[in-house]
């Protein structure tokens, strides 16, 4: 179906040429394989040099005349006034959209890219299905109320088969006097096994470990007993206080607290405190003293309660199923719909968001506009300067952009992985370099849980490490390509200390940088999300879903409770609930609502 295919490669060996042809074919045909994944221009890798690993191939595959994704569902009508126009199909945006559609609202989701899921999407190359970002899914358990992904899918009649991961993470940490060969810890799915393993490494801190993680359970058990909706809605909150007073008081008391403070109440050993730091850093990209305790309670306990579960077919299946559910409820998603402007009518107090304008000039009008773009993109790119609310200045003082990532998606021959290898690994060689760019290494091997993601006899190895976009700016194209490959070679060499033979067993490799994240996820500087710029008062400073502009809401990791796929699902539940209340589709108590939000605003302004 593609109109033309052009491959340019520096190597001329026969094997290389065959690889090129196969790759061109794969690139072209992958569009039909992956639910219509039209590739415009792809810098890709294939196996053709002497070490049997990668050489760059720049492939340009012309788009089919009719974009494949648009041949399925009809185009979203622009003449309708929607109940909600959602910018972006990240999991935060899709959760909001599906929650609203499940309650009968007419919603349109406008996605700039060609697949749903944003950072939690997936893409296909040469028989491999690669997760864009994290392969570690929380919130997919079957019990309690914190199984938020399971619940989001169920709201639109969907469910996904998952594979339970026996461990959350295998940590490979620096050498010390107490651990001369390095500190190795596995976070087992079974809580008691994990605590026992950690206590054996730090026998003098057995009690401290029990008390610290015990306090995390107090937070989690409270969360896991509540119905999770908008904290900006007092009628719901009062209801939960009446049904579960102790749980609500527990959570209220933890809202301002940070994990580092709680850890230091019980733990003295500096190496163990560093372990708590990496336990936080690996998902929050900040140390324990900057990580809200409520989030730590969620992450440190759901991994044992609901467990880490991998969705069969890849993480992108979550977004795909949410989209299917959305459409079955009569709402729409439009891909390649690049929102360039949020249309605001009126001035000052009466300013109201009434719709959006796309890069191609089309306008979608809605009673409500929900932005799943980052706060920086929403307020600095999609709104005119005059519409920037003062409240956003406060956010910019409190939070800054976290680094992005370098990501290496690899296909490797199975022999590179010894029996017993775990799915997720964290490698820190030097505690002092943990937060440096490229300091901490993340490794995920999702094919250990779902072998269908790669061709027989191979595995996927996804190596990623935090880095800043500034390190990739101003480079000529060849320089950029060279730098990418050099950085990737160095990261793979470091991972080889734990998985010897990885480089030699590599048969496919594609490297992304913060520039890739910025381009494909449309996230300012490719950032992973907001992080506190100073010691935060727990979660009190994090914005909820309403904004200072009437009719405009934000959802996703720029809103409470922050990064994490299950976290953005929570923000989606909260956002949809508040929108329904504001549209008069869910009951509120108006006086209480106004008074409560005024007080909440004042408290948070001072946080
Ligand atoms: N960024 C990363 O590197 C990364 C990696 C792994 C996990 N994560 C996690 O993924 C989650 C992010 O979820 P999320 O729901 O907040 O958002 P998201 O960034 O995953 O999705 C946002 C979506 O909005 C689209 N979009 C942005 N601006 C747009 C515009 N102007 N017009 C149309 N579409 C637009 C993007 O293409 C993207 O699909 C977070 O939990 C994060 O921690 C992020
Ligand atoms: C008054 C008021 C306001 C109040 C009152 C009280 C109350 C009631 C409260 C409540 C609260 C709530 C509900 C809250 C909630 C919260 C939540 C839900 C949270 C969540 C969270 C989550 C999270 C944070 C998650 C995260 C995760 C992540 C990030 C992940 C990541 C991953 C990665 C990166 C991967 C790694 C890898 C390797 C290792 C390889």
């Amino acid at each position: 179906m593609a109109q033309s295919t052009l491959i340019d490669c520096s190597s001329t060996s026969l094997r290389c040429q065959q690889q090129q042809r196969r790759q061109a074919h794969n690139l072209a045909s992958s569009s039909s394989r992956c639910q219509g994944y039209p590739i415009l221009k792809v810098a890709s890798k294939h196996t053709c040099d002497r070490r049997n690993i990668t050489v760059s191939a720049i492939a340009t595959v012309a788009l089919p005349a009719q974009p494949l994704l648009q041949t399925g569902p009809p185009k979203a009508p622009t003449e309708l006034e929607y109940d909600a126009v959602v910018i972006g199909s990240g999991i935060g945006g899709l959760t909001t959209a599906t929650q609203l559609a499940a309650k009968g609202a007419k919603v349109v989701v406008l996605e700039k890219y060609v697949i749903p899921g944003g950072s939690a999407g997936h893409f296909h190359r040469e028989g491999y299905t690669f997760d864009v970002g994290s392969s570690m899914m929380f919130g997919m358990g079957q019990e309690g109320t914190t199984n938020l992904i399971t619940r989001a899918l169920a709201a639109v009649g969907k469910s996904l088969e998952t594979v339970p991961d026996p461990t959350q993470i295998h940590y490979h940490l620096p050498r010390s006097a107490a651990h001369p060969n390095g500190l190795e810890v596995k976070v087992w799915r079974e809580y008691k096994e994990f605590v026992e393993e950690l206590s054996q490494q730090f026998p003098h801190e057995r009690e401290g470990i029990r008390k610290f993680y015990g306090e995390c359970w107090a937070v989690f058990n409270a969360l896991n007993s509540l119905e999770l909706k908008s904290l900006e809605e007092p009628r719901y909150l009062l209801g939960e206080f009446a049904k579960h007073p102790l749980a609500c008081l527990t959570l209220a008391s933890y809202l301002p607290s940070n994990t580092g403070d709680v850890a230091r109440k019980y733990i003295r050993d500096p190496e163990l405190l560093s372990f708590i730091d990496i336990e936080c850093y690996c998902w929050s990209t900040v140390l324990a003293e900057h990580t809200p305790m409520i989030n730590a309670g969620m992450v440190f306990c759901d991994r044992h309660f609901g467990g880490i579960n991998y969705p069969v077919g890849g993480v992108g299946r979550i977004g795909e199923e949410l989209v299917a559910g959305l459409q079955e409820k009569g709402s729409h998603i439009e891909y390649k719909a690049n929102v360039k402007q949020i249309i605001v009518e009126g001035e000052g107090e009466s300013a109201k968001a009434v719709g959006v304008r796309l890069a191609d000039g089309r306008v979608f009008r809605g009673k409500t506009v929900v932005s799943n773009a980052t706060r920086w993109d929403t307020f600095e790119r999609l709104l005119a300067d005059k519409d920037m609310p003062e409240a956003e200045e406060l956010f910019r003082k409190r939070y800054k952009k976290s680094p992005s990532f370098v990501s290496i998606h690899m296909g490797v021959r199975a022999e590179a992985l010894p029996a017993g290898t775990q799915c997720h690994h964290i490698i820190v060689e030097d505690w002092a370099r943990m937060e440096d760019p490229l300091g901490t290494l993340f490794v995920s091997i999702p094919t250990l849980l779902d072998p269908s993601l790669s061709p027989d006899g191979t595995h996927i190895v996804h190596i990623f490490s935090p880095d800043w976009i500034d390190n990739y700016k101003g480079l000529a194209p060849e320089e950029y390509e060279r730098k990418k490959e050099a950085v990737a070679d160095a990261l793979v060499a470091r991972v080889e200390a734990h998985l010897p033979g990885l480089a030699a067993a590599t048969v496919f490799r594609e490297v992304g940088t913060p520039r890739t994240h910025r381009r494909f996820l449309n996230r300012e500087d490719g950032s992973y999300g907001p992080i506190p710029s100073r010691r935060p008062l727990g979660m009190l400073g994090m914005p909820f879903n309403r904004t200072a502009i009437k009719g405009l809401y934000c959802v996703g990791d720029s809103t409470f409770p922050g990064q994490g796929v299950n976290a953005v699902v929570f923000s989606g539940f909260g956002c949809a609930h508040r929108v329904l209340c504001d549209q008069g589709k869910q009951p509120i108590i108006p006086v209480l609502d106004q008074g409560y939000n005024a007080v909440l605003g004042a408290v948070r302004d001072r946080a």
Side-chain angles (χ1 to χ4, degrees), residues 283-438:
W283 49 270
S284 67
T285 62
V286 287
L287 303 184
E289 66 168 350
H290 282 179
T291 303
M293 182 61 185
I294 292 205
N295 282 355
M298 182 77 165
V299 172
F300 295 163
C301 301
D302 185 42
R303 64 192 183 182
H304 305 291
F305 181 86
I308 302 298
N309 301 290
Y310 191 81
V312 173
V315 165
R317 296 284 302 120
I318 300 169
E320 288 168 2
E321 283 303 290
L322 287 173
V323 166
L326 179 80
Q327 290 169 331
E328 284 164 22
K329 296 279 171 202
S331 281
H332 301 275
I333 183 161
E334 186 93 1
Y335 297 98
K336 296 172 78 193
N338 182 9
V339 174
K340 278 289 180 201
Q341 188 197 353
I342 295 171
I343 304 168
V344 176
E345 286 177 357
E347 294 283 328
E349 293 277 285
S350 59
K352 179 168 187 320
V354 295
V356 305
R357 181 169 287 110
L358 305 191
D360 62 14
R362 278 181 293 161
V363 168
F364 288 82
R365 291 185 73 87
K367 294 186 185 123
T368 293
V369 175
V370 178
S371 177
N372 187 201
T374 72
R375 269 200 125 74
W376 293 279
D377 290 289
T378 303
F379 288 95
E380 289 165 27
R381 292 179 196 276
L382 301 182
L383 283 164
D385 284 351
K386 70 171 178 53
D387 295 321
M388 166 77 98
E390 261 175 46
E392 289 308 309
E393 304 292 344
L394 195 59
F395 172 78
R396 274 156 192 71
K397 274 195 204 129
R398 284 180 181 159
Y399 292 92
K400 58 184 181 186
K401 280 167 257 172
S402 73
S404 182
F405 285 97
V406 166
S407 247
I408 314 170
H409 292 283
M410 294 162 53
V412 303
R413 285 192 299 273
E415 77 248 16
L417 303 180
T421 304
Q422 307 298 321
C423 178
H424 300 290
H425 301 256
I426 292 280
I427 302 169
V428 180
E429 295 113 336
D430 177 357
W431 288 121
R433 291 197 49 227
M434 174 167 64
E435 290 181 278
D436 287 357
L438 307 178

Side-chain angles (χ1 to χ4, degrees), residues 88 90 92 111-112 118-119 134 337 339 372 517 521-523 556-557 563-564:
E111 169 55 52
K112 182 181 174 195
S119 315
S134 166
V339 174
N372 187 201
H517 285 258
L521 300 176
N522 216 29
R523 299 176 67 94
D557 57 20
Q563 286 102 331

Side-chain angles (χ1 to χ4, degrees), residues 104-121:
K106 266 267 174 277
V107 185
V108 62
V109 177
L110 301 168
E111 169 55 52
K112 182 181 174 195
Y113 197 35
V114 293
I115 50 165
S119 315

Side-chain angles (χ1 to χ4, degrees), residues 536-549:
L537 204 54
M539 303 179 82
L540 276 177
M542 196 71 180
F544 291 121
N545 305 106
R546 275 172 157 181
T547 71
I549 298 178

